[in-house]
Amino acid sequence: MDTWVWALLLLILALARPAVAQESIAFYDFARPDLHWYTIDTEHFHIIYHQDDDGKGSSRTAQVVARIAEEIYGPITGLYQHEPDTRVAIILKDFEDYSNGAAYFFDNKIEIWAPSLDTPLRGDHNWLRNVISHEFTHIIQVQTAMKMSRRVPFLYFQLLGYENVRRPDVLYGYPNVIVTYPIAGISNPAWLAEGTAQYQRAWLGYDDWDSHRDMLLRTRVLANEQLSLADMGGFYSHSSLLRETVYNQGYAFTRYLAGMYGEDVLRRISVALGEWRNWNVDRAIAEAVGKPASVVYDEWVASLKASYEQETARIFANKVEGRIVEPDGFANFYPRFSPDGNRLAYTSNRGEDFSSTSLYIRDLATGKLARYEIDMGDDAPDLVHTCMMGHRLVRSVDRAIDWRPDGKTIVYARRRDSPEGHLVADLYELDLDTRKKTRLTEGQRATSPAYSPAGRQIAFVQQGDGTTNLALFDVESEVVRPITAFDDGTQVSDPAWDPTGSWIYYGRQIGHGRDLYRIRPDGRDDQPVLATPDDERSPAFDADGRLYFSSDRTGIFNIYRMTDDGAPEQLTNV
């Protein structure tokens, strides 16, 4: 065989990766015989939840959801002057480490995943109050905007033509004309649906405009890259960042409309969309506010530009930034220096359109990504794959990572299907010398691992019934024990050991934003470090034991360092 043919075959093998045979079975709808299902009936809702044989499940979540749903029923239906024609079913799922909600407005049904949403593109809010209000608003607002009933949501007019035939025993020939004209009963743009669902009611306060959302919008507006009103109308297979931009700008535009024309304008636009004479949102906006939609949109963008330019003038005049380490991707997170300080491990979606992140290591002296032969482990036990394009070490890494103190392995979390089809996260280690992946935990719903300074314990975040807690994995005995015991929907994040190993610092959230706390590894002395109306998160330490963290106290996140007198010192200005 010619040399060039061999070279081509080797290149194909190098670039290839194992095909995924099917979607995760956790996302299939099928009967789950290992779970027991129950229903709580309230005046306006059916709350459906599950428990397993050990009593674990979504019981607490269901009781909280029942109260929240009835609390928000009146405010949401009152704004739109519309009530569902049946009870709304809310189905709670806590058998996978996945956060989302879905509203089926033709069926009066809502699905809620109990784990709290933790995304860098939005701030923290009380998950259940936020997601129940969000999805129920979808039901009410979309039904208000429908031109027909939910039982007959659209119509088709169809014309069929057939070839002429001459035989008397043949009724029709082959079809040669097929004309189909759909009459849609709904023309609700994505920005309005998602904007109103995030807006909910201004005084409810279960979601709000946070500094993460403001960052995304500010960046686009100052670069003159905001989506047009037409582009905000649908998701159109955007990347996940652009999909979030539809949510982001839709929420901001909805807030502007409510602020300028009164909250009732959201009902007026929705009602106008339900009229047969209005086939697009431009006509509905013009009818509701008395101005062309393009004029309203331009006035909104102009107000944003003026506000953001004024807010950032001092920053641009006195910027203090670092140098870019990873220029590719829009999801580059959880940087961790190696113990010797020569390498940087982090997660990134470089080369991807969506936000699934992989593990990378970059040599800080050369700036190059480390290249390893990777044992694909669970995906293909006998396959060793050399990644030539991206040099990723592990695909689909879930949140934070950490180095073992000797610098030879990296611990991370990854979600895998259990034998029952439950998608849960567990801890793994990648040995950088042997290229082996080792699973450390089984069914622990574990993320965000952090090695103790001595390397004998790993602190991590553990999920259960809509609440997260800190737990400890003993490396030698492989025993897991809890550190905290929250059972009220509290969310914890980003555990970090101080250099002495005496404290574990972490983020804590129950309402809006996070605060910094610390706790002893045995669970004693849980105490606040910084608990303010601002959002403080991501604790880290230098070799001298000084605490670093990020905060949005100026309205924009920057890096701070705690001084000897306990006062935060701002280090960056971005």
Side-chain angles (χ1 to χ4, degrees), residues 250-518:
Y251 186 13
F253 191 39
T254 300
R255 292 175 71 241
Y256 175 80
L257 291 171
M260 286 294 293
Y261 303 102
E263 200 172 53
D264 188 57
V265 73
L266 307 181
R267 180 190 64 81
R268 299 199 305 270
I269 293 174
S270 300
V271 170
L273 279 170
E275 300 292 339
W276 285 103
R277 64 180 178 272
N278 295 322
W279 290 98
N280 61 60
V281 75
D282 293 43
R283 293 187 61 175
I285 290 175
E287 185 173 305
V289 306
K291 285 183 181 181
S294 59
V295 173
V296 177
Y297 172 83
D298 290 342
E299 290 175 347
W300 170 59
V301 172
S303 69
L304 289 174
K305 286 185 177 179
S307 174
Y308 285 143
E309 286 173 355
Q310 181 179 1
E311 290 176 10
T312 58
R314 286 188 176 182
I315 297 175
F316 282 113
N318 303 280
K319 285 200 296 185
V320 181
E321 297 181 313
R323 64 180 178 88
I324 294 177
V325 175
E326 175 54 78
D328 297 325
F330 59 81
N332 298 301
F333 302 128
Y334 308 114
R336 300 290 186 264
F337 288 106
S338 61
D340 61 10
N342 295 327
R343 293 168 294 171
L344 186 71
Y346 57 95
T347 64
S348 174
N349 75 329
R350 65 193 315 270
E352 305 282 354
D353 288 330
F354 298 93
S355 54
S356 177
T357 55
S358 301
L359 173 64
Y360 295 87
I361 294 179
R362 191 174 291 273
D363 186 286
L364 294 175
T366 65
K368 295 181 179 179
L369 286 171
R371 296 175 64 171
Y372 293 88
E373 284 190 335
I374 309 159
D375 178 359
M376 296 300 287
D378 298 333
D379 298 323
D382 299 322
L383 178 66
V384 174
H385 170 73
T386 304
C387 186
M388 297 292 290
M389 293 298 292
H391 315 309
R392 69 182 108 199
L393 277 70
V394 181
R395 297 178 62 243
S396 301
V397 173
D398 193 5
R399 282 178 266 197
I401 58 174
D402 199 18
W403 295 82
R404 198 167 69 189
D406 62 9
K408 294 183 177 181
T409 71
I410 290 179
V411 62
Y412 61 95
R414 195 177 186 192
R415 290 181 293 173
R416 315 295 290 167
D417 285 314
S418 71
E420 298 79 21
H422 300 171
L423 186 66
V424 296
D426 275 296
L427 302 185
Y428 295 76
E429 263 195 337
L430 174 69
D431 189 304
L432 299 179
D433 291 330
T434 65
R435 307 179 300 278
K436 295 288 186 180
K437 291 193 297 185
T438 303
R439 187 170 188 162
L440 302 181
T441 65
E442 187 81 35
Q444 290 296 324
R445 308 188 71 175
T447 60
S448 303
Y451 253 111
S452 67
R456 292 192 287 267
Q457 296 172 311
I458 300 173
F460 64 91
V461 174
Q462 191 170 46
Q463 175 74 238
D465 201 0
T467 300
T468 56
N469 279 284
L470 293 178
L472 209 58
F473 174 78
D474 187 277
V475 174
E476 185 174 338
S477 66
E478 300 184 353
V479 171
V480 172
R481 66 170 180 82
I483 300 175
T484 61
F486 301 118
D487 60 0
D488 58 355
T490 293
Q491 303 298 312
V492 300
S493 63
D494 303 327
W497 298 75
D498 80 327
T500 69
S502 302
W503 295 97
I504 299 172
Y505 285 66
Y506 68 99
R508 185 197 293 186
Q509 175 258 333
I510 188 63
H512 297 303
R514 298 186 197 179
D515 295 310
L516 290 183
Y517 279 72
R518 68 176 185 176

Side-chain angles (χ1 to χ4, degrees), residues 226-260:
Q226 64 276 356
L227 298 182
S228 68
L229 193 58
D231 285 338
M232 290 163 57
F235 295 113
Y236 310 126
S237 299
H238 286 323
S239 70
S240 55
L241 181 59
L242 286 177
R243 288 174 65 89
E244 180 63 18
T245 303
V246 174
Y247 279 82
N248 184 266
Q249 289 192 198
Y251 186 13
F253 191 39
T254 300
R255 292 175 71 241
Y256 175 80
L257 291 171
M260 286 294 293

